[in-house]
Structure formats: C-alpha cells, structure tokens
Amino acid sequence: LLGHANRILAEAEAAETEARGGTQRPSGLIRIAAPMTFGIRHLSPVLPAFLAQYPDIDITVDFSDALVDLVADGYDVALRIASLADSSLRARKLCEVRLLLAASPEYLDRVGRPTHPRDLEGQKSFVYTNTSAPGKVRLRQIKSGNEFVLTQTSRFRADNAVAFLPALAAGLGFGVFPEFMVGEGLASGQFERVLPDWEAPAIALYLVTPSSSLRPVRVTALLDYLVECFGQAEWVGCV
C-alpha cells in the first residue's frame, strides 16, 4: 500500500509540473535499486556530479542483486543487467553487457588453453548462483554458429561474482563474468579470455521505471543523466 501511495503522489507531482509548463525546479527524493557490484563500481562514481548539478534532489540507493518490485517497494527507477522478459514496466536499453569466460594466464599455462568448451568440463570453476540455471553456460561459436551448453564443475559458488575475483587472480579456476567486472584485468593482462572465438548470449544494462507515463521532473532529470553516462560505457569493447 505504501508503494502504491508513493506512486500516486509522484504522479500527482508530475501532473502538477506538467500543468505549470515544466518550469518546476527538480527537487525531492529519488529511490533507486541497483545491482550490488555494478552499482558500487559504476553508478556510485557518477552520482556526485548529478547531486552537484541538482542541489535540491536527494537520493537513496539500495544495492542488491535481488529482483525488486518497483511499484510495491516504492522505487522510482532500477538499473538492471539482464535479458528482460515482458512486463508492465518501462525499460530503456542503455548498452550491451558481454559475458566473458576468463581465467588467469597462470591457470591456463598450468592446465592448457582449451580449443572447445568440452575441454573445460571437469575443470573446477566459479559458479554464479543468482541465475535460473547455475553452472549451465550456453556458448555459440562465432564463425560456425555451433552451440554448446557448458556444465561447470564447481570449486567456488556465490551469488555475487565479485567474490570470485581474488580466486580468479590466484589461478584457482575459470568463470563467466560480465565485461564491466573483468575488462580492466583483461586489458592489463592480469586475466585472459578463455575460448575467445566462442561467446555467451549478451545481456544488457537497462533503466527500468514504473509504467506510468507521468513521472516527477527529478526522475526525468536522473534518467537523462544516466543515459548520458552509460549509453556508451567505458568498458564496452575494451577487450
């Protein structure tokens, strides 16, 4: 009920701003839901400039990889990294997020560099559990289009992939990571792509808002700002 009440108030505020010809200065509180690792690494660094530009806007961010109900929980906007299913929410795709197989060079020197996904089966790896099928990775060979479903053998399981990075750097296995998480390590040589001629289905970064066509001017200002920040994110195509 609180979530619906907040939504009614927000829509009323948006209607009032529209009636005034959009001249109202952006102000008030914006509630954001964001994935844990992406939110801390990439959303947090861009928020100070937004807050400086709009001194009358306050922000609350809930960092969690759980799928929240924007309307029921009273959020104005969510950042989601996924392949989105149909819903009543409004979603805007900002950029693709590639999923990359990665390991340390030392690990690959020790076990060998695979030429086919089947070579990885039986090797201990890092399994991200916050999916519908943990440990199952669908891969497609870029040139031929052939597909293979890799079944991972777990050495380390967690619901946040950043937990794997120290073990990845220590050469204890391989894993599947979003590009924004391992891009710098791949570019520097700390990590190495595994099977670079195979790819997992790309997901994407989305801005998601409740379905109402009316939104407070402060939320519109934030959406426009995030589109500018992440429409061509710095990690895209870095490896």
Side-chain angles (χ1 to χ4, degrees):
L1 288 174
L2 179 60
H4 286 288
N6 287 337
R7 186 57 47 205
I8 291 170
L9 288 173
E11 290 179 0
E13 179 184 336
E16 181 182 6
T17 300
E18 187 174 284
R20 292 178 177 178
T23 59
Q24 185 175 347
R25 183 175 177 176
S27 64
L29 176 67
I30 302 174
R31 293 196 65 209
I32 307 170
M36 179 72 71
T37 302
F38 180 85
I40 292 172
R41 286 192 172 190
H42 296 283
L43 175 62
S44 294
V46 304
L47 290 179
F50 177 80
L51 292 171
Q53 184 177 353
Y54 297 100
D56 296 326
I57 293 179
D58 302 315
I59 288 176
T60 294
V61 184
D62 289 335
F63 297 109
S64 173
D65 292 332
L67 191 63
V68 299
D69 186 324
L70 268 68
V71 175
D73 296 333
Y75 290 103
D76 297 294
V77 60
L79 283 162
R80 287 185 178 164
I81 300 174
S83 177
L84 289 185
D86 291 338
S87 75
S88 61
L89 301 173
R90 300 170 67 186
R92 176 166 183 175
K93 180 179 175 180
L94 297 183
C95 63
E96 283 199 342
V97 176
R98 294 189 297 167
L99 295 175
L100 307 177
L101 281 166
S104 72
E106 294 76 15
Y107 175 81
L108 295 173
D109 288 341
R110 188 171 68 251
V111 305
R113 286 165 175 78
T115 59
H116 191 278
R118 70 171 66 94
D119 299 335
L120 294 171
E121 295 199 320
Q123 293 187 27
K124 293 295 183 75
S125 60
F126 312 124
V127 176
Y128 178 61
T129 58
N130 194 20
T131 70
S132 58
K136 299 289 186 182
V137 183
R138 184 165 61 89
L139 298 169
R140 185 183 69 87
Q141 192 171 35
I142 296 171
K143 288 185 178 179
S144 69
N146 293 335
E147 294 193 350
F148 185 90
V149 178
L150 170 65
T151 300
Q152 292 179 272
T153 301
S154 172
R155 179 80 189 275
F156 184 4
R157 297 168 66 91
D159 63 357
N160 190 309
V162 75
F164 302 141
L165 294 181
L168 184 73
L172 298 177
F174 73 91
V176 182
F177 297 88
E179 186 175 1
F180 66 79
M181 193 177 294
V182 294
E184 289 184 6
L186 288 167
S188 70
Q190 180 187 21
F191 305 134
E192 183 177 326
R193 284 192 67 182
V194 179
L195 295 171
D197 54 341
W198 290 74
E199 62 182 6
I203 51 179
L205 173 64
Y206 292 90
L207 279 175
V208 183
T209 58
S211 58
S212 173
S213 60
L214 293 174
R215 61 169 63 105
V217 64
R218 62 178 176 272
V219 176
T220 299
L222 177 66
L223 296 178
D224 291 343
Y225 177 76
L226 294 179
V227 167
E228 182 179 349
C229 289
F230 298 127
Q232 181 56 52
E234 73 276 6
W235 69 83
V236 174
C238 65
V239 292

